[in-house]
């Protein structure tokens, strides 16, 4: 029985590797260095064809990512995987002796696992081998297209940099410093030192100042624009737009962007507990996934077919998005 279980775990890891390598084949077999010098300091570029992977999957998370029925979970000191169909769980990779700090965020991108400890982005193969620092001395990172984007300190401020997915050919982007950034589908949203926001698209080189309400929080990007929460609901302002449009009016404690829609954590009752829901990209066809309630401090992740809710204790629940069927996927 022990040998059979061991073989099953080995098979799951092999399956995960095969799935991801197959999905990434296009990226890894073409000349990856043709676009690494696209654009200059203040007009960086990338090709639209390079963005496919980063819009078909949730690329990075503090908690959970799903690939082909296999879920990756940030357990703080390591990345775990569980097969949804069987529940078999295994350890995938960790930071080893490279860092004693917890993993704050992680990403899966074209067959690499990236782990961020608050200062350095480490990269490993899916089996934990070839662990190495990919981006050092940064405060935030995000893979997009042919690159890894990161915010790094320099000359008493923070500047945006990008490098190849293996950490080579790093270059600074833009001559001005920034406080924060988001990256999705070729779009960069950058917060200037005065607090204002600026949008730039690496495929078109279009750009515009973007005004968000002072109370805007939990700012994310999707293919249509910039999403944010206020006390009155969830809103989106289109890229280059001036005013936000309500996607959901009511108390939204948390939300997430998936490949085909949004996940919401709605606080609609008097007991303080929340219900999870999914909807289309513009708030249409809202479906409450009944059968389980969650605390307002819970976090969401959304794949093409599943919604994941991780509570403040680290327990992750999941349900298919088409039929509410909640189960505990990861214990704390």
């Amino acid at each position: 029985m022990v040998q059979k279980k061991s073989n099953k775990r080995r098979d799951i890891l092999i399956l995960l590797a095969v799935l991801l390598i197959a999905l990434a084949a296009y990226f890894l077999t073409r000349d990856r260095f043709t676009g690494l010098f696209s654009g200059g300091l203040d007009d960086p570029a990338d090709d639209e064809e390079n963005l496919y992977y980063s819009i078909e999957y949730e690329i990075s998370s503090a908690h959970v990512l799903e690939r082909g029925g296999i879920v990756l979970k940030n357990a703080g000191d390591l990345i775990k995987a569980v097969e949804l169909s069987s529940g078999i769980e295994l350890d995938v990779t960790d930071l080893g002796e490279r860092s004693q700090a917890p993993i704050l965020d992680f990403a899966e991108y074209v067959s690499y696992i990236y782990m961020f400890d608050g200062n350095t982005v480490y990269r490993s193969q899916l089996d934990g081998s070839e662990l190495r620092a990919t981006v050092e001395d940064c405060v935030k990172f995000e893979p997009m297209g042919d690159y890894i984007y990161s915010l790094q300190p320099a000359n008493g401020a923070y500047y945006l940099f990008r490098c190849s997915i293996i950490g080579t050919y790093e270059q600074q982007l833009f001559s001005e410093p920034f406080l924060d950034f988001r990256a999705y589908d070729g779009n960069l949203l950058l917060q200037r030192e005065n607090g204002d926001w600026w949008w730039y698209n690496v495929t078109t080189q279009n750009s515009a100042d973007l005004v968000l309400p002072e109370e805007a929080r939990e700012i994310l990007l999707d293919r249509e624009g910039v999403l944010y929460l206020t006390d009155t609901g969830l809103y989106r302002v289109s890229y280059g737009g001036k005013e936000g449009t309500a996607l959901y009016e009511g108390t939204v404690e948390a939300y997430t962007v998936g490949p085909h829609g949004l996940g919401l954590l709605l606080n609609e009752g008097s007991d303080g507990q929340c219900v999870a829901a999914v909807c289309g990209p513009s708030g249409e066809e809202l479906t409450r996934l009944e059968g389980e309630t969650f605390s307002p401090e819970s976090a969401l992740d959304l794949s093409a077919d599943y919604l994941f809710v991780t509570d403040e204790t680290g327990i992750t629940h999941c349900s298919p998005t088409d039929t509410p069927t909640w189960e505990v996927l990861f214990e704390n």
Side-chain angles (χ1 to χ4, degrees):
M1 179 64 71
V2 174
Q3 181 64 37
K4 184 176 181 180
K5 189 172 184 179
S6 176
N7 289 342
K8 179 61 175 177
R9 295 191 174 200
R10 180 200 61 202
D11 293 344
I12 291 175
L13 187 57
I14 292 172
L15 174 61
L16 178 61
V18 169
L19 283 169
L20 298 181
I21 290 172
L23 290 168
Y26 170 74
F27 299 91
L28 301 180
T29 54
R30 68 187 179 90
D31 180 3
R32 294 200 56 79
F33 301 108
T34 56
L36 288 177
F37 300 101
S38 297
L41 173 65
D42 287 312
D43 59 346
D46 199 358
D47 296 328
E48 187 172 355
E49 65 181 13
N50 298 338
L51 302 171
Y52 171 80
Y53 198 84
S54 59
I55 60 177
E56 282 297 310
Y57 303 96
E58 183 184 19
I59 296 302
S60 62
S61 173
H63 304 287
V64 170
L65 299 172
E66 187 259 342
R67 298 290 187 270
I70 296 174
V71 181
L72 301 170
K73 167 72 179 285
N74 176 15
D77 58 343
L78 56 86
I79 304 299
K80 295 183 176 183
V82 64
E83 187 182 42
L84 286 169
S85 61
S86 68
I88 296 294
E89 182 180 321
L90 73 158
D91 298 343
V92 175
T93 187
D94 58 36
L95 295 178
E97 300 299 322
R98 304 297 295 271
S99 174
Q100 300 303 310
I103 301 169
L104 302 180
D105 294 285
F106 80 110
E108 183 285 315
Y109 198 60
V110 292
S111 80
Y112 289 116
I113 299 291
Y114 297 90
M115 296 165 284
F116 179 55
D117 69 353
N119 182 74
T120 301
V121 180
Y122 296 92
R123 179 186 87 253
S124 81
Q125 299 285 352
L126 292 168
D127 61 0
S129 65
E130 300 185 30
L131 178 69
R132 60 195 63 187
T134 303
V135 181
E136 298 182 274
D137 194 21
C138 69
V139 296
K140 187 173 185 177
F141 86 105
E142 188 67 40
M144 182 177 72
D146 256 357
Y147 306 95
I148 295 176
Y149 293 77
S150 62
L151 198 62
Q152 302 182 28
N155 302 319
Y158 291 100
Y159 292 85
L160 189 69
F161 287 77
R162 72 179 183 183
C163 62
S164 75
I165 64 170
I166 59 173
T168 56
Y169 302 98
E170 184 176 80
Q171 61 179 180
Q172 180 184 326
L173 305 182
F174 310 115
S175 55
E176 68 173 299
F178 298 101
L179 297 176
D180 198 1
F181 83 98
R182 309 287 190 277
Y184 184 85
D185 191 26
N187 298 290
L188 292 170
L189 181 68
L190 302 124
Q191 187 177 33
R192 292 188 163 116
E193 287 198 308
N194 64 2
D196 293 342
W197 294 91
W198 179 61
W199 162 71
Y200 179 89
N201 186 283
V202 297
T203 63
T204 65
Q205 285 73 60
N206 291 335
S207 66
D209 291 325
L210 198 145
V211 179
L212 298 179
E214 288 186 7
E215 65 271 23
R217 62 183 189 275
E218 302 298 326
I219 298 167
L220 298 176
L221 308 185
D222 69 1
R223 303 190 74 173
E224 303 300 324
V226 180
L227 298 96
Y228 59 89
L229 291 179
T230 71
D231 290 342
T232 59
L234 175 64
Y235 297 82
R236 180 198 287 124
V237 58
S238 61
Y239 295 116
K242 300 299 182 183
E243 295 185 4
T245 300
L247 305 184
Y248 178 86
E249 295 184 279
T251 303
V252 182
E253 299 291 353
Y255 75 101
T256 189
V257 175
H260 307 302
L262 307 173
L264 309 175
L265 191 64
L266 307 178
N267 194 334
E268 300 176 316
S270 58
D271 60 356
Q273 290 295 100
C274 301
V275 62
V278 292
C279 65
S282 296
E284 71 277 16
E285 300 180 357
L286 181 73
T287 301
R288 291 167 176 78
L289 301 180
E290 307 284 358
E292 191 69 62
T293 58
F294 305 96
S295 71
E297 292 75 25
S298 299
L300 303 180
D301 291 286
L302 180 64
S303 68
D305 301 306
Y306 290 90
L307 180 66
F308 304 91
V309 182
T310 302
D311 67 21
E312 62 272 27
T313 70
I315 297 174
T316 298
H317 296 74
C318 78
S319 171
T321 55
D322 57 354
T323 304
T325 309
W326 289 102
E327 63 176 305
V328 174
L329 191 61
F330 291 97
E331 296 283 359
N332 186 9

